Amino acid sequence: MINKNIHSICYGGDYNPEQWTEDVWVQDMELMKEAGVNFVSLAIFSWALLQPDENTFDFTFLDKIMDLLHSNGIYVDLATATASQPPWLSIAYDDVMPVSADGVKMTHGSRQTYCPNSRSWRNAASHLVRTLAARYKNHPALAMWHINNEYGCHTAECYCDNCAVSFRKWLQKRYKSVGIVNEKWGTRFWSQYYYKWDEIYPPRATMGKKNPSHVLDYKRFMSDSLLDCYSMEYEILRQITPELKITTNFLMGIDKLDYFKWAKEIDIISWDSYPDPAPSYNPALNAFDHDLMRGFGNGRPFILMEQAPAQVNWRDINVNKHPGLMRLYSYQAVGRGADGVMFFQWRQSLRGAEKFHSACITHSGDGNSRIFREVRQLGHELKKLNCITGSTRKADIAIVFDYENMWAFEYEDRQSKSVTYRDQILNWYKPLYEMNIPVDIVGTDSNLKGYKILLAPLLYMTKEGYAEKIKRFTADGGEYITTFSSSIVDEWDGVFPGGYPGPLKELLGITIEEFCPLTPDMKTTIALTDIDDTIPETSKARLWYDIIHIVDAEIFAVFSDALGKGYPAITYNYFGKGKAWYIGTETEPDFKKAFLSKICLRQNINSLFSLPEGVELNIREQNGKKYAFILNFSIKNASIDIMQNSYIDLLTGQKIHDRLIIESGNIRILEISS
Ligand code: GLA
Ligand code: ZN
């Protein structure tokens, strides 16, 4: 539960009343109530107005709006306002502005531009947070804290002299001696050997390729530096308001922070979701991000902290959300585990960089718009879903996602730049999504108890302890599926001696002699070694293939042409009670689907309903009840056979008998009593 006073799904959005006069606030309160808003995020970008200079605070506007929201029954997710410092702070202290890798020092004039290792910034931010928390700790509207905003958005890296000093300290803590740094980074290569800590710099611009281990550690260090900024604020808030939940909003697609590590420090995961409304966009991508967010919180409900009511302003072409699409995506969020649906933003700005970003209240300034009507309808519907809050999801399949692995694999030079980590994960996620089989996303150190299948595509890096953990998982009866370019390096991006796939050789029962990346016009073919009724006998493959030698494994498919001809393409190895698969190429989506559905069948994993293409199913469960969110993303109406008649449509209260028609773009939420 987000707060003991809120018993329904949180609904509202970023509210920036400082951009408006007080008569507009009064109108906002009426419109918020009309739309069913019960929660707003406040003061995210208010620092400059709250603090005119280093020694003066002015809470006049915040006091008034907090009181006004409270008297209208609306709770506040109060931001700590540290996302963007006032110009006077950037100017007063030389260490505040960040420096890019090629040495350009930033200037004030945008937002979220500060060096995470600036002492002056941290001092000023903690002063603000302490003052703000002390002032509002007992305010009846305060329901949750929202630290900063989208850490890593805009400034995910800084290369200034301060960061150089902090990086050395970080390295000293991690490695104790320069000798170990030399060993882990392989600095005998290209004459990079260090004799003193002071010789080590951030990986700034240089003429040749940078040291990959150095770059990787710098990414870790930057993620940790921003996490330190977050933790600094968290500690202050925890002390002043021990009972309140604290969040910070994650964003997707930047992938610069190790969110699995961050999530351990966050009470409620929240994130900002901006699926492209263009027809070519696949809703599976957004579904994946929701699953990832739920994974960060070990399955706990999260908050959809921001979504656009209609279009955004920052794509090359800002396609508008057609009627019903915002509602569809809102239910995708709730179905995948969100206990809150929030917008960026409540009222559309008239000035500034985001004036064409959609908002619940459009430039017309009133509630007379298609967008507001859709916001109001959704607000009223969500009020009928109190039973959903706190419910969770169950999955038999998990996919491993690891940031450090991504950072290491995606080094500036690699075997193939056509291979990216996220795509590899998504290529395996999408067939499961299309089959409506629930999936959890887990980190390399997550608990695997209860999963029957674990997929680890492109797990290039094998961290210490991981191989043993996966061997246990498989020996206990699990099925482990991994793919090409896995288990090549250790956590410092050093290749395992003795050949690939490093410490997973025994589990997989194979060795890999060479890898062969393919250009888009090069294809290969795989052929199954045994006839199987459900999987095509031959299938095209692309992107990459490995030259695999069998040690103990069985061959499932072989390459039938090119350099790999006759070599195994897919293998499996019995290990204890389970099986470990290796897929040595990029198979086609149809193949993956057939392959996974066969494994799911054997493991007794299936979808609750059989649904037409483009119809997404999400199940949440609580107190012996299941809640099925059926979302029709397709352009056709969907007809669904319902076998039992004990289903209740939660929005209409009606019982559902035998058949259900869901129009294109529409949704149904069914309560299923078991
Ligand atoms: C991000 C930010 C918001 C706003 C939106 C616009 O998610 O957190 O402040 O800029 O993008 O889409
Ligand atoms: Zn810096």
Side-chain angles (χ1 to χ4, degrees), residues 98 115-117 158-160 162-163:
C115 164
N117 288 301
C158 175
Y159 295 82
C160 76
N162 258 319
C163 285

Side-chain angles (χ1 to χ4, degrees), residues 307-354:
Q307 67 168 338
Q311 68 229 113
V312 298
N313 63 306
W314 41 260
R315 289 198 170 94
D316 288 347
I317 300 176
N318 297 300
V319 174
N320 204 340
K321 286 186 178 167
H322 60 72
L325 193 61
M326 176 278 282
R327 177 171 176 257
L328 204 49
Y329 275 117
S330 301
Y331 284 118
Q332 185 187 55
V334 178
R336 290 194 177 259
D339 272 4
V341 175
M342 312 279 285
F343 295 100
F344 179 84
Q345 60 175 331
W346 169 252
R347 186 178 277 274
Q348 192 168 22
S349 304
L350 296 177
R351 290 162 196 277
E354 293 185 319

Side-chain angles (χ1 to χ4, degrees), residues 340-540:
V341 175
M342 312 279 285
F343 295 100
F344 179 84
Q345 60 175 331
W346 169 252
R347 186 178 277 274
Q348 192 168 22
S349 304
L350 296 177
R351 290 162 196 277
E354 293 185 319
K355 58 186 177 297
F356 294 120
H357 193 292
S358 62
C360 303
I361 303 300
T362 65
H363 281 155
S364 74
D366 54 26
N368 190 17
S369 68
R370 189 258 312 177
I371 295 173
F372 181 74
R373 284 190 288 278
E374 290 194 34
V375 168
R376 184 176 55 197
Q377 180 197 338
L378 181 64
H380 288 227
E381 287 178 2
L382 292 177
K383 297 242 172 306
K384 299 178 186 163
L385 301 180
N386 291 359
C387 57
I388 304 289
T389 58
S391 61
T392 51
R393 285 170 58 108
K394 284 211 175 85
D396 293 318
I397 305 184
I399 298 181
V400 177
F401 190 88
D402 185 62
Y403 286 95
E404 292 171 285
N405 175 65
M406 174 178 358
W407 299 338
F409 179 77
E410 292 181 3
Y411 170 66
E412 57 181 323
D413 268 359
R414 54 185 189 266
Q415 298 304 315
S416 168
K417 287 186 186 161
S418 303
V419 183
T420 61
Y421 183 54
R422 228 172 210 274
D423 281 349
Q424 286 300 308
I425 296 281
L426 286 164
N427 289 351
W428 285 94
Y429 177 84
K430 282 180 203 161
L432 292 162
Y433 170 87
E434 284 163 17
M435 293 189 277
N436 278 311
I437 292 181
V439 170
D440 281 346
I441 313 297
V442 297
T444 45
D445 63 356
S446 302
N447 187 345
L448 300 177
K449 207 164 173 269
Y451 295 117
K452 295 179 179 169
I453 299 172
L454 183 65
L455 274 146
L458 195 82
L459 201 58
Y460 165 75
M461 174 187 288
T462 299
K463 296 181 193 169
E464 269 170 38
Y466 180 79
E468 292 64 41
K469 175 176 163 161
I470 296 308
K471 281 184 193 166
R472 266 197 313 277
F473 169 80
T474 314
D476 289 348
E479 267 185 80
Y480 184 68
I481 304 170
T482 192
T483 72
F484 61 89
S485 209
S486 289
S487 217
I488 309 292
V489 298
D490 61 22
E491 48 192 289
W492 296 273
D493 201 24
V495 173
F496 288 115
Y500 325 125
L504 289 192
K505 271 191 256 169
E506 188 200 348
L507 173 73
L508 295 163
I510 54 168
T511 60
I512 292 151
E513 190 182 348
E514 293 181 63
F515 18 78
C516 310
L518 304 174
T519 61
D521 56 350
M522 290 166 83
K523 297 256 184 311
T524 181
T525 308
I526 57 166
L528 298 201
T529 46
D530 284 326
I531 304 299
D532 186 294
D533 294 343
T534 54
I535 305 179
E537 215 173 309
T538 61
S539 176
K540 288 270 167 244

